[in-house]
Amino acid sequence: MREAYIERKTKETEIRVRLNLDGAGESQIETGIGFFDHMLTAFARFAYFDLGLKAVGDLEVDAHHTIEDCGIVLGQALKEASGSKAGIERIGETLLPMDEALVQVALDLSNRPYLVWDIRASEGTVGQFPFEMAEEFFRAFAVHSGLTLHIRQISGKNLHHILEAVFKGVGRALGLALRENPRFSGILSTKGVL
């Protein structure tokens, strides 16, 4: 089973993540930030991951620590659950529309963490979620999972629609990258290692 359970406790946050890469897209998310819960639920659904995530953070300060630390722990869980990455497609990409918004996501489970965040919108909040924190979340997620991740906005004005396309798109691309390919049992790399 490609699963992981990670706990992380700091003076600012306490986060528990249970991740099953071979799930059905079921999730139970509690971060204290309603819109973020909605986005993580969409992410899990479009990846077909079963995801349990419980976060308690210093929301009396702001949402920054909680959102970024969720990215750290979810990234660690993805890295652990994906194991050696033998026999998987490794690369995933998608175009994800959400009404007027269109987002392109391309990623590589390369063990070479990198984020390209090409989203034009940068200011504002959706519910209690500061838009700028999406980039921080995905940077932490990419670094701690070893993921090369490109996220590009093609169109869109509505912040909710843009973010929903981003989270669904990353989920969809990850689901594709983690598919097992029966034609190949090793690691998809000319070097033989990641």
Side-chain angles (χ1 to χ4, degrees):
M1 296 291 290
R2 299 187 301 168
E3 296 179 330
Y5 178 77
I6 305 285
E7 290 186 26
R8 181 175 190 262
K9 185 174 182 176
T10 71
K11 292 180 180 180
E12 298 166 339
T13 63
E14 183 174 346
I15 300 170
R16 295 188 306 272
V17 169
R18 185 174 306 280
L19 177 64
N20 177 357
L21 302 181
D22 301 306
E26 301 296 324
S27 61
Q28 190 169 10
I29 312 292
E30 295 177 45
T31 66
I33 306 163
F35 183 76
F36 191 36
D37 293 355
H38 176 49
M39 292 300 96
L40 292 174
T41 298
F43 163 83
R45 177 63 55 123
F46 277 72
Y48 299 101
F49 294 164
D50 288 346
L51 175 62
L53 188 150
K54 169 81 172 166
V56 177
D58 57 355
L59 295 178
E60 71 281 359
V61 174
D62 67 10
H64 188 113
H65 300 138
T66 301
I67 294 168
E68 184 176 29
D69 288 8
C70 282
I72 291 169
V73 180
L74 188 57
Q76 292 170 338
L78 176 63
K79 186 169 190 141
E80 182 177 311
S82 58
S84 72
K85 300 175 184 67
I88 64 167
E89 293 288 345
R90 189 182 130 181
I91 294 170
E93 55 86 21
T94 195
L95 282 174
L96 204 298
M98 177 70 187
D99 296 343
E100 88 296 346
L102 182 63
V103 170
Q104 179 185 38
V105 176
L107 57 83
D108 183 359
L109 290 156
S110 62
N111 220 17
R112 294 171 59 159
Y114 199 86
L115 174 67
V116 173
W117 179 261
D118 187 9
I119 302 293
R120 290 186 300 276
S122 62
E123 295 182 15
T125 59
V126 183
Q128 299 301 312
F129 188 96
F131 192 92
E132 66 190 20
M133 285 310 302
E135 181 177 4
E136 297 303 321
F137 170 80
F138 283 110
R139 179 173 292 109
F141 180 65
V143 166
H144 290 273
S145 63
L147 183 65
T148 299
L149 177 58
H150 289 248
I151 303 171
R152 179 165 288 116
Q153 178 186 349
I154 295 171
S155 65
K157 295 180 181 178
N158 182 291
L159 298 181
H160 184 133
H161 295 166
I162 294 165
L163 286 176
E164 191 158 343
V166 167
F167 277 85
K168 286 178 176 177
V170 173
R172 172 75 175 149
L174 268 176
L176 294 171
L178 286 159
R179 284 187 305 188
E180 294 175 323
N181 186 333
R183 298 181 299 166
F184 188 75
S185 61
I187 294 172
L188 188 58
S189 168
T190 56
K191 296 185 289 264
V193 296
L194 295 176

